[in-house]
Amino acid sequence: MYVTARIILLLVLPAWLCAACQPIATPSIAEPLPDSRPTAAQNLDPDTEEYAVYAALLEDRYAGGETEQVLIVDHTRVNKAESVERDLTQFQEVVPLTPELVASFKERNQQSNPLKPNLDLSIEYQLLSQEEIDELQPKDEASGWKLFYELYPKSVGFVYLSRVGFSADFSQALVYYSIYRYEQPIMGGYTVLSREDERWVVGESYEWMT
């Protein structure tokens, strides 16, 4: 295993006074009313932003390279809880992940979640069920991969994605991925992305390989 660091409105009411009416209270200019307008982060939907994060990650990994098709397992997945704890602890030794970002990631990955074909990618992609993957990997693994590449010759393998954790202000995102392919190392890891100019930009990663 190795680590890579890629890397007020103030509404002032007029106080008209008359003999038959009481004075109308007005807010003090020195104490402005709190601004109740939603912030930019409050306007963002995490489920929508999640797919934008996926697209940014996959574009960074595959667009412009030899891969012409990305195959994605249609339910999210992460490693076992103890592996997540270990990997994120090691990642935090290299990159300062905020507690709220890590907590969001863990919370959103308590269970698997189905993925939808909502990715905006410049390269072809397809969602496959775990059952479809399993059918292409019989006991004779080499034969399974032979059939796999006969059906999907433009792909290098298939990808698992986790749910995405977000910082409270949506300035950062954390996602896990793993890539399975024949006669090549199985690899995966965690990547932090930053939201810049209304788009997600890939940042540092913690990656493993077997």
Side-chain angles (χ1 to χ4, degrees):
M1 183 178 291
Y2 66 93
V3 177
T4 61
R6 291 175 50 177
I7 318 232
I8 285 183
L9 173 65
L10 286 178
L11 179 60
V12 180
L13 298 177
W16 298 102
L17 302 178
C18 66
C21 57
Q22 296 294 325
I24 301 175
T26 61
S28 170
I29 295 179
E31 298 180 358
L33 293 174
D35 190 347
S36 61
R37 292 172 297 180
T39 65
Q42 290 173 325
N43 285 328
L44 296 178
D45 173 27
D47 294 337
T48 300
E49 292 303 309
E50 187 164 60
Y51 283 86
V53 169
Y54 293 150
L57 176 68
L58 295 172
E59 286 281 341
D60 181 76
R61 293 291 185 270
Y62 296 112
E66 297 180 358
T67 302
E68 298 181 45
Q69 182 185 46
V70 179
L71 300 176
I72 306 166
V73 182
D74 66 359
H75 277 69
T76 61
R77 189 176 87 164
V78 293
N79 283 334
K80 294 181 179 180
E82 55 268 28
S83 296
V84 172
E85 290 288 347
R86 181 198 64 221
D87 292 344
L88 290 179
T89 297
Q90 294 180 355
F91 193 6
Q92 287 175 292
E93 294 175 359
V94 180
V95 177
L97 306 177
T98 65
E100 66 179 12
L101 181 60
V102 173
S104 172
F105 178 87
K106 293 178 180 178
E107 173 67 25
R108 290 173 63 82
N109 282 285
Q110 290 186 353
Q111 61 184 20
S112 181
N113 192 62
L115 294 174
K116 302 175 183 178
N118 294 345
L119 292 169
D120 183 12
L121 294 178
S122 64
I123 56 178
E124 180 184 346
Y125 77 92
Q126 183 174 339
L127 298 179
L128 296 178
S129 68
Q130 185 63 57
E131 291 73 20
E132 289 175 300
I133 294 293
D134 292 341
E135 288 177 1
L136 298 175
Q137 293 181 290
K139 292 182 179 179
D140 182 355
E141 185 173 340
S143 297
W145 281 104
K146 179 180 179 181
L147 177 57
F148 181 93
Y149 287 123
E150 286 177 355
L151 294 174
Y152 306 105
K154 298 186 290 183
S155 172
V156 297
F158 56 92
V159 179
Y160 287 99
L161 295 169
S162 72
R163 299 216 67 183
V164 179
F166 294 98
S167 59
D169 62 357
F170 282 86
S171 63
Q172 286 190 310
L174 177 63
V175 62
Y176 171 82
Y177 63 94
S178 53
I179 305 165
Y180 287 74
R181 46 199 173 183
Y182 181 58
E183 289 186 341
Q184 296 186 51
I186 298 172
M187 66 172 296
Y190 297 80
T191 294
V192 173
L193 297 89
S194 300
R195 198 167 189 274
E196 302 175 8
D197 298 326
E198 300 185 355
R199 68 187 185 95
W200 290 100
V201 178
V202 173
E204 298 88 353
S205 293
Y206 170 89
E207 297 179 340
W208 55 261
M209 183 179 296
T210 61

